[in-house]
């Protein structure tokens, strides 16, 4: 998971993507599934089933979170991050390439599908907390869908099954949203309690 | 229950529920000793959703995490509420049907269903007769069975220490409409006959386990354990054996969070801890996989 310290504000990356700058949180996602689709991975180049998958670079300039934290208890940060990641992923689905007969099914064949999400957290501590929360769930699916978590990078999915691909990503985004809401809510409660404690003492 | 819908519900309410529980109990995070959650068995999506919250809370509050076996949760709650010391346990619910007895730090499965659970059989039969799900199909079958007057012969399938319910379900799904159409029996007769047959099968395998273990106590847990007719039949068997039957009401029979907390508490006291790396959920978590170190 990525620590947002560093660049602030949306930037246009080499892939030509510019993510909208939401004040609370942003997520960037990249997907690439066909050879020759060179626009989706600005750092590591195109991926296809014959080349080994490489995780997206942590310095992917597609978007970075704005400085500052989401408002305490606000669902916007977590839900917006999840929704934006999903929306951007859907809009970037690779075009179907028809085969000689014009049949798209035959063109997909044994294509390896990949999808990566970079989630900006408020701090490295929060990022690591979320990673440790979510990585245990991902292990169950490793047979059919490979997921790769990196502490300072992104989460990368690889599979040949498009249905499992979609299910795995959607499940992860739901769980990520839940984890982030939980973190924000419990931290907000702790802040309020500390404030009450100080006011009683004074 | 559809896994996706159930998981969505859990994700929507769990944080409010957590806060509500703490507020109602008058506790804060500092009063909590450990975080117990259901590791399995059960439906994957709901289990995973709750596990996410448990892991997050455990890390934020810096409390140990305990993954609890759902079946053992039922057993420990039953033992706590009834005071049974070392019973042979009949665990019957929509998802599980097992006869369990404790031996050498494991809850050993002496017998079980080889296909569907007894509660699943009852629920699917209710669907065939279009019986309402409110409050639950099993409850409505029980009420209708009280008005049954005729015992219809149904397949009785006990295989040694195990039972099978898919055959009786297939038979009754096929025969029910025909028998009702010809007026051979009423829906109440079918409810009565199904209960008598499946419960008799359960009583038989429980008695066999009790005889093997020399047990003088029987405990019924799980949602189907609320059924008064099942309790009556088990009580009759226990009386004949000079044994004692223990059972609870719907507050503790049906799946609940308190039973997970109770089992988690026992585990915590005995020194169990679940590292984050091992905190994934297990849809097929067997009752005898857990080392029961909190009992002699």
């Amino acid at each position: 998971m990525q620590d947002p310290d560093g660049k602030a504000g949306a930037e246009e990356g080499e892939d030509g993507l510019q993510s909208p700058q939401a004040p609370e949180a942003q997520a960037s996602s990249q997907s690439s599934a066909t050879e020759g689709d060179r626009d989706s991975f600005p750092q590591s180049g195109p991926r296809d089933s014959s080349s080994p998958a490489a995780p997206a670079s942590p310095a992917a300039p597609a978007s970075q979170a704005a400085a500052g934290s989401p408002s305490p208890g606000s669902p916007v940060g977590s839900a917006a991050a999840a929704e934006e990641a999903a929306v951007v992923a859907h809009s970037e689905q690779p075009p179907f390439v028809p085969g000689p007969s014009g049949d798209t099914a035959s063109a997909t064949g044994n294509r390896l599908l990949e999808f990566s999400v970079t989630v900006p957290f408020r701090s490295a501590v929060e990022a690591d907390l979320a990673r440790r929360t979510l990585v245990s769930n991902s292990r169950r699916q490793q047979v059919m869908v490979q997921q790769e978590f990196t502490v300072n990078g992104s989460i990368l999915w690889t599979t040949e099954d498009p249905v499992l691909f979609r299910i795995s990503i959607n499940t992860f985004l739901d769980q990520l949203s839940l984890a982030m809401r939980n973190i924000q809510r419990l931290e907000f409660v702790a802040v309020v309690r500390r404030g009450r404690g100080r006011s009683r003492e004074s | 229950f559809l896994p996706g819908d159930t998981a969505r519900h859990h994700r929507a309410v769990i944080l409010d529920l957590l806060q509500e529980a703490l507020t109602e109990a008058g506790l804060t995070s500092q009063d909590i000793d450990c975080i117990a959650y259901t590791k399995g068995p059960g439906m994957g999506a709901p289990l995973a959703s709750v596990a996410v919250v448990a892991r997050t809370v455990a890390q934020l509050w810096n409390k140990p995490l305990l993954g609890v076996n759902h079946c053992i949760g039922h057993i420990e709650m039953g033992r706590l509420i009834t005071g049974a010391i070392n019973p042979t346990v009949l665990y019957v619910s929509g998802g599980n049907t097992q006869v369990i007895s404790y031996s050498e730090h494991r809850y050993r499965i002496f017998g079980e269903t080889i296909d569907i659970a007894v509660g699943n059989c009852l629920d699917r039969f209710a669907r065939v007769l279009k019986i309402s799900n409110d409050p639950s199909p099993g409850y409505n079958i029980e009420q209708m069975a009280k008005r049954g007057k005729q015992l219809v012969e149904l397949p009785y399938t006990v295989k040694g220490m195990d039972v099978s319910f898919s055959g009786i379900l297939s038979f009754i799904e096929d025969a029910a409409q025909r028998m009702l159409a010809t007026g051979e029996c009423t829906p109440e007769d079918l409810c009565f006959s199904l209960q008598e047959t499946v419960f008799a099968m359960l009583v038989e395998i429980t008695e066999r386990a009790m005889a093997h273990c020399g047990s003088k106590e029987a405990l019924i847990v799980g949602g189907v354990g609320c059924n008064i007719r099942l309790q009556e039949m088990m009580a009759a068997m226990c009386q004949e054996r000079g044994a004692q039957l223990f059972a609870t009401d719907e507050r503790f029979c049906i799946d609940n969070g308190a039973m997970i907390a109770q089992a988690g508490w026992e585990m915590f006291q005995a020194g169990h801890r679940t590292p984050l790396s091992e905190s994934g959920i297990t849809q097929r978590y067997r009752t005898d996989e857990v080392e029961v170190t909190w009992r002699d």
Side-chain angles (χ1 to χ4, degrees):
Chain A
M1 308 287 181
Q2 187 164 5
D3 183 335
D5 291 336
K7 296 179 187 174
E11 294 181 50
E12 185 163 350
E14 295 172 13
D15 59 358
L17 294 173
Q18 182 169 21
S19 297
Q21 183 176 353
E24 285 80 15
Q26 292 177 345
S28 66
S29 65
Q30 299 158 333
S31 64
S32 168
T34 58
E35 55 185 298
D37 184 8
R38 295 178 181 276
D39 291 343
S40 297
F41 285 102
Q43 301 296 327
S44 51
R47 293 195 185 91
D48 59 26
S49 57
S50 60
S51 60
S57 161
S63 70
Q64 296 284 342
S69 307
S71 55
S74 163
V76 175
S78 56
E83 284 172 14
E84 283 196 29
V87 166
V88 174
H90 288 140
S91 67
E92 287 187 357
Q93 277 184 1
F96 286 115
V97 177
S101 63
D103 180 3
T104 55
S106 62
T108 53
N110 293 325
R111 185 173 66 186
L112 191 66
L113 302 170
E114 292 179 352
F115 177 73
S116 80
V117 166
T118 302
V119 182
F121 284 86
R122 292 176 293 180
S123 66
V125 170
E126 197 175 279
D128 193 48
L129 192 156
R131 183 189 64 82
R132 282 185 278 137
T133 295
L134 296 168
V135 73
S136 304
N137 280 355
S138 73
R139 287 203 184 106
R140 289 178 56 238
Q141 304 169 16
Q142 288 293 340
V143 175
M144 298 297 291
V145 179
Q146 288 75 47
Q147 293 180 38
E148 189 180 320
F149 287 74
T150 61
V151 176
N152 60 352
S154 61
I155 310 103
L156 173 73
W157 283 262
T158 15
T159 185
E160 290 182 0
D161 187 324
V163 174
L164 284 179
F165 192 56
R166 176 179 57 81
I167 292 171
S168 181
I169 293 166
N170 286 344
T171 303
F172 173 80
L173 292 175
D174 287 334
Q175 290 173 357
L176 172 64
S177 172
L178 178 61
M180 290 175 74
R181 278 190 288 131
N182 198 8
I183 293 167
Q184 289 164 8
R185 188 154 170 169
L186 291 182
E187 285 182 350
F188 173 62
V189 168
V191 164
V192 166
R193 283 216 185 95
R194 277 197 296 272
R196 283 186 193 147
R198 283 198 208 101
S199 66
R200 278 197 209 103
E201 285 165 12
S202 60
Chain B
F1 297 105
L2 295 175
D5 292 345
T6 308
R8 205 166 296 121
H9 164 268
H10 290 359
R11 285 195 299 269
V13 305
I14 186 168
L15 299 182
D16 288 336
L17 190 63
L18 174 63
Q19 190 56 53
E20 202 178 307
L22 288 170
T23 304
E24 201 172 304
L27 299 174
T28 66
S29 59
Q30 278 139 353
D31 302 310
I32 303 298
D33 296 286
C34 59
I35 310 295
Y37 71 102
T38 307
K39 187 175 173 64
M43 294 189 285
L47 287 175
S49 293
V50 175
V52 163
V53 174
R55 287 186 210 114
T56 316
V57 169
Q59 290 177 85
L60 281 169
W61 292 353
N62 194 26
K63 304 289 180 185
L65 193 61
L66 288 146
V68 177
N69 181 296
H70 176 95
C71 314
I72 291 181
H74 276 292
I75 296 171
E76 293 304 332
M77 177 59 87
R79 288 179 60 233
L80 174 72
I81 295 298
T82 65
I85 299 167
N86 188 22
T88 297
V89 180
L90 175 62
Y91 171 34
V92 279
S93 70
N96 296 280
T97 298
Q98 295 175 350
V99 173
I100 296 160
S101 199
Y102 174 77
S103 173
E104 293 183 12
H105 299 294
R106 299 264 168 174
Y107 282 115
R108 312 283 174 176
I109 302 169
F110 276 74
E112 59 185 329
T113 177
I114 61 174
D115 39 55
I116 61 174
V118 63
N120 192 305
C121 178
L122 293 170
D123 291 348
R124 286 162 69 175
F125 169 70
R127 212 174 293 160
V128 168
L129 292 193
K130 298 183 174 50
I131 294 172
S132 169
N133 278 351
D134 182 17
S136 75
Y139 177 83
N140 290 332
I141 287 174
E142 182 181 358
Q143 303 314 308
M144 289 177 68
K146 291 175 184 174
R147 300 190 293 274
K149 293 182 175 56
Q150 177 189 351
L151 182 68
V152 176
E153 194 171 339
L154 299 173
Y156 182 98
T157 316
V158 171
K159 297 175 183 285
M161 286 300 299
D162 295 329
V163 286
S164 168
F165 297 112
S166 62
I168 189 172
L169 179 64
S170 299
F171 176 88
I172 205 165
E173 280 175 340
D174 186 52
Q177 301 305 338
R178 174 176 45 80
M179 296 171 80
L180 292 172
T182 58
E184 210 172 318
C185 65
T186 63
E188 288 77 7
D189 293 338
L190 288 174
C191 291
F192 169 72
S193 305
L194 181 63
Q195 280 198 166
E196 294 300 299
T197 308
V198 300
F199 292 166
M201 291 160 57
L202 295 172
V203 169
E204 178 181 337
I205 63 169
T206 307
E207 183 173 19
R208 196 163 287 132
M210 292 175 72
H212 180 84
C213 300
S215 177
K216 290 296 183 190
E217 291 179 330
L219 170 65
I220 311 177
V221 298
V224 179
C226 299
N227 190 298
I228 301 297
R229 181 56 187 152
L230 174 60
Q231 293 182 18
E232 286 174 356
M233 293 172 73
M234 285 283 291
M237 177 273 288
C238 286
Q239 191 174 20
E240 288 172 8
R241 298 189 56 81
Q244 192 176 3
L245 176 69
F246 296 89
T248 61
D249 59 36
E250 67 278 359
R251 291 173 297 166
F252 306 106
C253 269
I254 298 173
D255 292 348
N256 59 85
M259 71 187 197
I260 302 301
Q262 169 61 20
W265 174 243
E266 297 276 15
M267 293 169 68
F268 176 71
Q269 295 279 77
H272 283 251
R273 303 288 185 269
T274 303
L276 274 176
S277 57
E278 294 168 22
S279 64
I281 58 103
T282 311
Q283 284 187 253
R284 294 185 184 275
Y285 194 11
R286 295 282 288 171
T287 312
D288 52 12
E289 276 185 54
V290 178
E291 194 173 355
V292 181
T293 53
W294 57 93
R295 289 184 64 175
D296 295 329

